[in-house]
Amino acid sequence: MYPILFTIGKWNIPTYTVLLDLGLILGLVLTYFEGKRLLGRGELALELGLWTVVGGIVGGRIGFVLANWGVFSEDWSRALRIWEGGLSFYGAFLGGLLVIAIFALFQRQAEQPISFWELGDVMTLGLALGMAFGWAACLMRGCGYGAVGEGLGYWILPDLNGVEAPRFATQAVGLAYALVLFTGFWLLRTYWPFPGAAFLMFVLLYFTGMFFLEFTRGDEAIHLGPWRLAQVIDLVLVLAAAVGLVVLWWRAWLDEEAAEGEELAVQA
């Protein structure tokens, strides 16, 4: 819609880049304050956030190269030219997830161990806000555009090449959904019953929404049968999050029962 935010001399400042950078900065700020609130260690949380960004960029690039292997196999050096653009959202998410897991392994050896689930909770609000800015950036640039059609939810929108047509407002719906999740998780930030609950619930809800939103997409994608590859990944992440929630809830319940048993034994 508005690919260029403003111009300085001969330099065009892309709206897409500004929104992504703003989402990144605000997400890191939130991560810092969540680290102070949940762990009492804001600097550690900020360090985690920065390394997660690095992991996201590397993972996003690897995912993009693999998804477009036919192009990059002809000239492998292009895979390193990240400044030319091209990142996979799911590759970025999985790359960031790997960084959190590695970070948690190192923290297990620290004087005050911090679990993967605690680190995930610290990242949740910043991640939710970053998703919202990412959809806003795509709306301005035309990436992640919807399928052509008519009816409720269809706007005159451009695709990635700037071709305007009545398309489903996929980016706007994604933006609204991400904002609703961010607002809900912000309001519930002090009510989660056990470490990992916030992170896993966000993964479950966000990628469930993305699974259904993929049906409205009009951009090219790899398909596995009737579904887009992204939908298969969505389902895997949703299933993993659901299993994780059940396991952590069961473990928290057992710990609570054990604590009550010890208390009764002391009283007796």
Side-chain angles (χ1 to χ4, degrees), residues 15-28 30 89 125-141 143 171 174-180 182 202 206:
T15 308
Y16 178 84
T17 303
V18 172
L19 286 173
L20 285 185
D21 290 345
L22 184 58
L24 175 62
I25 293 171
L26 292 178
L28 288 174
L30 264 179
F89 164 70
L125 281 180
L127 177 62
L129 186 62
M131 299 294 194
F133 273 91
W135 279 112
C138 276
L139 180 61
M140 295 298 103
R141 186 182 181 185
C143 55
Q171 306 104 316
L175 170 59
Y177 186 62
L179 286 175
V180 167
F182 172 75
F202 177 78
Y206 183 79

Side-chain angles (χ1 to χ4, degrees), residues 1 141-142 145-146 148 155-167:
M1 295 175 68
R141 186 182 181 185
Y145 56 88
V148 175
W155 301 353
I156 301 297
L157 293 170
D159 61 11
L160 194 55
N161 297 315
V163 178
E164 293 188 346
R167 308 178 188 278

